[in-house]
Amino acid sequence: MLGADIETIMKLILLASKTENVELLQELQKLLSANPQNTIEQYTLNPDNLQRIQNGGADLVITINLSGFEFTTLTGGVSYNLWNTKFVHFMLKRDLKNELVLEKPLSISMFFYCLGKEYKEYLQKNYQDLPYLEEITGWEKGTERKSVKSNAEKMAAAICEAAQKCHLPLALSSMQEAEIYFRQLKEELPEMKSAHQHIDEVLDEALSTQDYSVLLSLIPYMESGKGKLAWKYTGEARRILQILYIVRLEEKYHMELFCKGCRSKGELTEKYLVMLFALRRLVFRLSEESVEEAEQFLKSAGLSPFALHVVLQNELLSADLSIYQQLTSLFTKSWNEEEKLLFIGMAGEESMHGQQ
C-alpha cells in the first residue's frame, strides 16, 4: 500500500524571488499542499541550486514573473526547455526583466498566465510563438487578506487547469475545489450566458437553412473561443459539441448526417437524447419490451457508426464488444460492409485502450 500511495504523490516546485508576493505565495502553497497527494517546495533559483532542482523530479514547476528565465544553455537556449517537467508561468506585472526571453523557442510544456486583457493582447502581438497563453480574470487589487486568498485561488485554479491538460494527478481538497468552481462560475456567468445564446442562435440558423458549414463553425468557437465557457459549465453544451464532432466525421466520410431533418436546436438535442436513452436500454436490458422499443427507434433514426460510437464512449455506458456486435446486426441492412467493419474496428480500439 505504501508504494501505491507514493505513486499518487505529485511534486511541485515554486520558483520566485525572496521578496516578491510573499503573502500571495504562502496562500498558494497552502492551497496546493492541503491535499496530501501533493507536495510543494519553494525556492529562489540561483547557480548553486539550479542543477539540483532541475534533477529533483518535479512533476510541475510554477514560476512567478519569469523567475529563472535568465539561465540559459551553452548555446544560448532557454534552460527550462531541458527540464523534464511541465511549467506554469505566472506574469503578474508588466515590464519584466526577463521578458525578451519570450522571443526564443519555448517548450510546448509551458503554460503562461497573465493579468489583464491588454497585457494578454500585448504578449500575443509581440511573442506570437508562446505555446499557451491565458488571461487570469477577476484579479483583485490590494493586499487585504480576502483579496490575497481570492487571487491565490485563481492561481490554483489555473495550475489545476494546466495539470489537467497534461494529465497530471494534481488535486486540491474537495472543499477548495468546490469554492474555486463556484467562484469562477459566478464571475464567468454573464459570458457563459452570452456564449450559450450565440450557440443557440447559430444552431437554429444553420439547421433552419441546412447550412452545415455554419453549423460546424461552432466547433472552434466551443473548443477555444468564448464558447469554451459554455462547454466548461453545462452538460447541454458538451453534448452539442459531441453532436458537432459526429456531424464533422459523417461529412468527412460522406455518410448521412446526424442533423439531417432537424430544423432547430431543440429537435437536434432531442434526437441525441432519445438515441442515448435507447442505447441505455440496450446496454442495461431492463426488459425485453424496452429493448425492442429501443431497437425500433435506432433502426428508424438513420444513425451512422460514428453517432453510435461517440455516444457509447462519451456517456459512461460501459459498452463492450457485445453491444457493438448487437448494433452491427441491428443495422445490417442500412449499413454497407465498410461501415460495419469501421464500427467493429472502433470497438476493438476502445477495448485495447481499456486493457492498457
Side-chain angles (χ1 to χ4, degrees):
M1 288 297 294
L2 181 60
D5 290 340
I6 290 175
E7 288 178 359
T8 63
I9 291 176
M10 182 169 168
K11 183 176 181 180
L12 300 95
I13 299 293
L14 179 59
L15 300 177
S17 70
K18 290 182 179 179
T19 58
E20 196 167 42
N21 303 290
V22 175
E23 292 183 0
L24 176 64
L25 299 189
Q26 286 176 343
E27 188 65 35
L28 179 61
Q29 280 190 267
K30 188 168 130 185
L31 285 170
L32 295 175
S33 60
N35 190 308
Q37 287 182 315
N38 311 324
T39 62
I40 181 166
E41 301 171 358
Q42 182 175 342
Y43 298 96
T44 299
L45 205 59
N46 58 59
D48 295 329
N49 63 16
L50 175 65
Q51 201 70 31
R52 176 172 58 83
I53 295 173
Q54 178 181 349
N55 298 327
D59 299 292
L60 183 66
V61 172
I62 304 155
T63 76
I64 308 298
N65 292 332
L66 302 182
S67 176
F69 273 89
E70 63 269 26
F71 293 98
T72 59
T73 66
L74 294 175
T75 57
V78 176
S79 174
Y80 283 155
N81 286 340
L82 301 181
W83 291 32
N84 184 27
T85 184
K86 311 298 182 184
F87 292 88
V88 174
H89 303 296
F90 288 105
M91 303 172 70
L92 304 182
K93 60 184 181 181
R94 301 185 67 159
D95 300 321
L96 298 171
K97 66 176 184 178
N98 289 334
E99 182 185 303
L100 289 179
V101 179
L102 301 180
E103 294 178 343
K104 297 184 177 182
L106 298 171
S107 167
I108 61 172
S109 297
M110 292 183 178
F111 296 80
F112 290 84
Y113 291 87
C114 66
L115 293 188
K117 182 179 179 181
E118 290 184 2
Y119 193 17
K120 180 182 178 182
E121 291 175 350
Y122 162 81
L123 292 169
Q124 287 175 324
K125 179 180 178 182
N126 289 278
Y127 308 104
Q128 298 178 11
D129 292 330
L130 286 179
Y132 181 93
L133 176 64
E134 285 290 343
E135 171 196 357
I136 303 176
T137 58
W139 191 266
E140 297 186 17
K141 296 181 179 180
T143 57
E144 297 179 358
R145 169 70 180 163
K146 181 180 177 182
S147 297
V148 170
K149 186 174 185 295
S150 174
N151 293 337
E153 287 176 350
K154 290 177 175 60
M155 294 175 71
I159 293 167
C160 286
E161 177 186 49
Q164 287 173 0
K165 290 180 184 297
C166 300
H167 305 290
L168 293 174
L170 177 64
L172 304 179
S173 71
S174 56
M175 183 64 70
Q176 290 167 345
E177 288 180 343
E179 286 180 1
I180 289 172
Y181 175 83
F182 286 110
R183 183 188 294 272
Q184 283 187 315
L185 177 59
K186 182 178 179 181
E187 292 172 354
E188 295 174 342
L189 188 60
E191 288 193 26
M192 183 190 74
K193 288 182 176 179
S194 174
H196 259 297
Q197 182 178 351
H198 176 74
I199 292 167
D200 291 351
E201 290 172 354
V202 172
L203 280 173
D204 284 336
E205 176 191 350
L207 291 170
S208 65
T209 60
Q210 297 289 281
D211 190 335
Y212 303 127
S213 62
V214 172
L215 188 73
L216 296 178
S217 71
L218 282 173
I219 292 178
Y221 175 76
M222 296 180 72
E223 285 181 331
S224 57
K226 290 183 179 179
K228 187 177 178 181
L229 283 177
W231 179 90
K232 178 180 178 181
Y233 289 113
T234 67
E236 181 186 65
R238 285 192 286 272
R239 281 177 171 155
I240 288 171
L241 188 56
Q242 295 295 349
I243 294 171
L244 296 176
Y245 288 150
I246 290 168
V247 173
R248 182 168 66 180
L249 285 167
E250 291 169 336
E251 185 178 62
K252 179 179 178 180
Y253 287 90
H254 308 291
M255 297 179 182
E256 183 173 315
L257 301 185
F258 182 85
C259 57
K260 183 179 179 181
C262 299
R263 295 288 175 174
S264 67
K265 171 202 163 188
E267 292 181 6
L268 186 70
T269 54
E270 181 181 4
K271 181 177 180 179
Y272 183 93
L273 289 173
V274 175
M275 174 178 61
L276 171 59
F277 294 148
L279 288 172
R280 282 178 174 165
R281 286 188 175 188
L282 258 62
V283 171
F284 300 119
R285 303 193 70 86
L286 302 179
S287 70
E288 289 303 319
E289 183 180 357
S290 69
V291 170
E292 289 176 6
E293 289 179 355
E295 289 179 341
Q296 288 175 5
F297 166 77
L298 293 170
K299 283 195 294 187
S300 65
L303 302 173
S304 73
F306 291 121
L308 296 173
H309 177 70
V310 168
V311 175
L312 287 171
Q313 296 303 323
N314 289 283
E315 294 287 353
L316 302 178
L317 291 179
S318 300
D320 57 21
L321 183 59
S322 65
I323 294 299
Y324 280 78
Q325 291 170 334
Q326 182 181 353
L327 287 166
T328 303
S329 298
L330 189 65
F331 286 89
T332 188
K333 292 184 179 180
S334 52
W335 288 351
N336 59 38
E337 289 303 315
E338 185 178 346
E339 290 170 333
K340 294 173 191 175
L341 290 172
L342 172 66
F343 189 59
I344 291 296
M346 288 189 288
E349 288 179 8
E350 291 301 329
S351 176
M352 288 182 65
H353 289 317
Q355 294 173 2
Q356 291 176 351

